[in-house]
Amino acid sequence: MKKTICFLIVFMFVIVFCSGCEGDITRSLRHEGFSVGGDFSCDEFMPEDKDDTSYKKIRYLTSSSIISEDGELYEISLGQKYANNSNCKKADTDLDVVSLFDDKVFKSSDGKYYYLKDDGTRGEKYTEVASNDSDYPIIDLLLKQTGTYKVNTVDSKAGIYYALKNDGNVYSYKVVQADRNTPPAIESMTMVYNKNDFSGSIIDFNYYGENSGSTFVMSDSKAFKMYVKNEKECTKYADVACKFEMREFESYTENKDYILAYNGSLLITTYGKTFNVIS
């Protein structure tokens, strides 16, 4: 009888304690400019036993996919669940992901490029990007660079692209093309995000503009995102422009063990809640 009572007391303590943690994290994220979304379940990445270290880890999160650390593809549905009663399922393909271009195209280990999601009339997801696709020359030029993990288009007209490399830094490529009959070429490459400024090697990033709260950089220990430097003044006065700066996303750092995935605009917690950046 005493053992049963002790067990119940401990059990209730754990429930209350964990609920308190979740509430604190939710409040912290809302304070950071996130709105609470819906519930999320995905057994492959969310084990019931928190001490289980054998479960799959997430490398990249897009609006429609999860990519595991070993390059496996999973599809996600944030609203309606799949038939497996989960918000995720293994993609119907044996292709793996080696590198990404704008979260739309990926390079597989076979050296070819494939659509990550349906791209209108260009091609269905997981089908090969044709060499006559208008974006193929740029995709091929940048993803074939040695040690490239991920590429974001910054300004296609100006030929500016950011790329995460295997040395843990993000570089800016300047791409030029003399005319339509000349293939694009890299004119220059400069470092834009130095791992020394982000407390460790950069493992993910997304660029949505210098004035976007969704632009972020994630190192192997912390996350950083864009914040308004002069929020009080620029929201109060019509003639004061908002100024942005990249700084540490403290709620992420403090609650890293409870964050399953983050891509700048969407965040998923280990306790099954989604959060969206408020525009």
Side-chain angles (χ1 to χ4, degrees), residues 141-198:
L141 174 67
L142 296 175
L143 289 190
K144 74 180 180 182
Q145 299 300 309
T146 302
T148 298
Y149 287 151
K150 189 175 186 179
V151 175
N152 267 186
T153 300
V154 175
D155 187 338
S156 59
K157 291 183 179 179
I160 306 298
Y161 301 85
Y162 284 0
L164 172 62
K165 307 286 282 186
N166 62 359
D167 63 359
N169 299 303
V170 175
Y171 296 84
S172 174
Y173 282 97
K174 169 67 174 178
V175 177
V176 295
Q177 188 171 12
D179 54 59
R180 292 182 178 179
N181 300 316
T182 305
I186 296 172
E187 182 180 72
S188 62
M189 181 181 79
T190 56
M191 188 183 296
V192 286
Y193 297 138
N194 188 319
K195 63 184 178 183
N196 295 327
D197 298 326
F198 295 94

Side-chain angles (χ1 to χ4, degrees), residues 7 49 56 65 98 155 221 233 253 277:
F7 174 79
D49 182 359
K56 294 180 181 293
S65 304
V98 173
D155 187 338
S221 62
E233 292 80 8
T253 303
V277 170

